Amino acid sequence: MNSTGVVEWAVVGSDIGPLLLAATGTGLVSVVFHARPEVREKALGQLRTRLGAEPVENPGSARLAEPIRTLAAYFAGSPREFSLDLDWSLTSGFNRQVLRELATGVPFGTVVGYGELAGRVGRPGAAQAVGVAMASNPLPVVVPCHRVVESDGGLGGFGGGLDTKRQLLALEGVLPRPLF
């Protein structure tokens, strides 16, 4: 068992479909999109392996109460930023450095290019590595990888799918909301 101890998780509904949230004693450790049963089982297996603890389903968890409340408020149009305790143990090195910069330096309603984000962490020219960091983000939405776009104005990739990325950017006012 690792230092984080018990991992508690729950699936919550959202405007972009069911999200699996997992937390340790340190903070929110994982957000997983499209948490259907097969996705959930894979995610829980990864948590089990990577954290060395058996994830326990606990929708009433005190550890999850604030993340659940904050995400519900976000999808309702506020808060503009997340101030949750985060457990960064599922990422390390360059990826962690990039994700921490993203979490603190790219506010609600703004976007940043992959190359610009690379430059901010002292690695200009590492735009592709930033893309890899975004793809490995264990805390999407909360650590807003949906705000990272291509320099030519393209959306870039997104682990939750481009429709989900568009929905999140529309929620934040970056893109127009779809008419239907």
Side-chain angles (χ1 to χ4, degrees):
M1 171 101 43
N2 68 4
S3 60
T4 57
V6 175
V7 179
E8 295 179 320
W9 66 276
V11 173
V12 297
S14 80
D15 290 9
I16 55 171
L19 298 173
L20 183 148
L21 306 180
T24 65
T26 304
L28 188 66
V29 72
S30 181
V31 176
V32 179
F33 291 117
H34 314 301
R36 298 177 300 275
E38 62 278 9
V39 172
R40 192 166 58 231
E41 288 314 307
K42 183 178 177 197
L44 293 172
Q46 289 171 336
L47 287 171
R48 194 175 295 118
T49 302
R50 304 264 317 270
L51 298 177
E54 183 61 36
V56 176
E57 185 173 14
N58 186 358
S61 164
R63 292 177 184 176
L64 292 170
E66 190 60 17
I68 289 170
R69 189 196 66 69
T70 301
L71 280 164
Y74 170 80
F75 285 110
S78 64
R80 296 291 189 219
E81 61 190 57
F82 294 100
S83 57
L84 297 169
D85 291 332
L86 302 178
D87 180 335
W88 293 95
S89 60
L90 292 178
T91 186
S92 61
F94 178 75
N95 289 2
R96 183 185 292 192
Q97 187 183 5
V98 169
L99 291 169
R100 282 181 175 269
E101 171 59 29
L102 177 62
T104 58
V106 183
F108 182 96
T110 67
V111 294
V112 65
Y114 293 92
E116 183 186 336
L117 196 52
R120 287 191 193 184
V121 296
R123 296 271 304 275
Q128 282 189 307
V130 167
V132 171
M134 295 306 103
S136 71
N137 181 5
L139 295 160
V141 183
V142 176
V143 177
C145 52
H146 59 277
R147 295 181 191 153
V148 183
V149 297
E150 294 173 351
S151 58
D152 65 4
L155 281 180
F158 192 62
L162 288 182
D163 284 347
T164 299
K165 186 170 188 171
R166 282 188 199 96
Q167 281 182 275
L168 291 169
L169 290 172
L171 174 74
E172 295 189 11
V174 174
L175 290 176
R177 288 190 180 268
L179 297 175
F180 49 87

